[in-house]
Amino acid sequence: MEQRSDTGRRLEVAGSTTHFHDLGSGEPLLLLPAYGPLPGTTGWLTYSKVLPHFVERRRCIIVDYHNFGMSSPLVFDEPAHDVFVRQVRAVLDHLGIARCDVVGTSTGGTVAIDLALSDPNRVSRMVVGACEASTGGDPYLLSPWPSEVAKLSAEYQGNPPDLDRLRRLLNAIVHDPAMIDEGTILSILEWAINEPKHAEAWSRSRSVPSGKLERLKEIAAPVRIIHGRFDRMVPVEGAIRLMNYLADPDLVILNRCGHWPAFERPEEFARQVLGFLGR
């Protein structure tokens, strides 16, 4: 599975670079990538399996975050999702897109929520999942925290790039480890080794917690939540919590699916997204 593509473009803002894709035609659809526990997990890796379904109908904008994807490294001291929202706004402004539908999974889901709260006129409809409402996470009643993937991510990030630790992490992110081929693992490892400035910038940054759970009721846009039943990063309890706080949510739980629904169940993910946006 390739996690990079030569279709990308770059936007320079205030001395930093944001990498993004602009594909297809029609009404714009912003695609915000999944959890990036390490350099090399790009927006292309998150959405390339569903793009053939989307680009037939929509203009698809995929934005890579600082320190994880193909955007430049950046040291920050604020909520990480606020940093990523600024990248998204800059790309949308650059492309002249004032308002659009938004799809975000994992980190992308939290970025979408942050965007809808900070700039509500930007978001028409929203599909999120595998995510928290807040930077720093939200409290759980039943599920243990830190989760299995959170622990494996901390173990990987806290040490030099290592093949075995990386394999354990990626295999835990998805429900079926067979979906993560060796080429993808080696490519991500190579990226981490060859681009150490991304991991270094992340280690020097501080993501300040920012609670958003109580504000979810402010989001007027219709929302569909798509969550994997076997998500070992953000348990299903997190999806139910979002549904309880949002004003106008649907909830879809995908069986045989972990933390990356668009990667693990692309046909069903695309069907759910397009059905929601087209209703």
Side-chain angles (χ1 to χ4, degrees), residues 76-85 106-115 117 131-139 145 202 205-216 241-242:
F76 59 87
D77 185 8
E78 61 181 300
H81 300 100
D82 291 358
V83 176
F84 304 152
V85 164
S106 183
T107 295
T110 310
V111 174
I113 289 170
D114 197 344
L115 178 65
L117 288 171
C131 68
E132 306 285 356
S134 307
T135 301
D138 299 302
W145 186 261
W202 183 252
S205 298
R206 185 173 73 108
S207 180
V208 179
S210 176
K212 301 284 174 58
L213 191 62
E214 296 293 338
R215 295 188 56 201
L216 290 182
R241 181 178 53 210
L242 287 181

Side-chain angles (χ1 to χ4, degrees), residues 28-70:
L29 177 63
L30 176 65
L31 300 169
L32 301 174
Y35 175 59
L38 60 163
T41 50
T42 63
W44 191 259
L45 175 62
T46 302
Y47 291 114
S48 61
K49 289 185 177 182
V50 296
L51 274 175
H53 300 281
F54 292 164
V55 296
E56 291 180 349
R57 302 168 175 84
R58 308 294 292 265
R59 178 187 181 185
C60 297
I61 313 299
I62 312 173
V63 180
D64 276 338
Y65 310 130
H66 291 301
N67 301 339
F68 293 127
M70 297 181 70

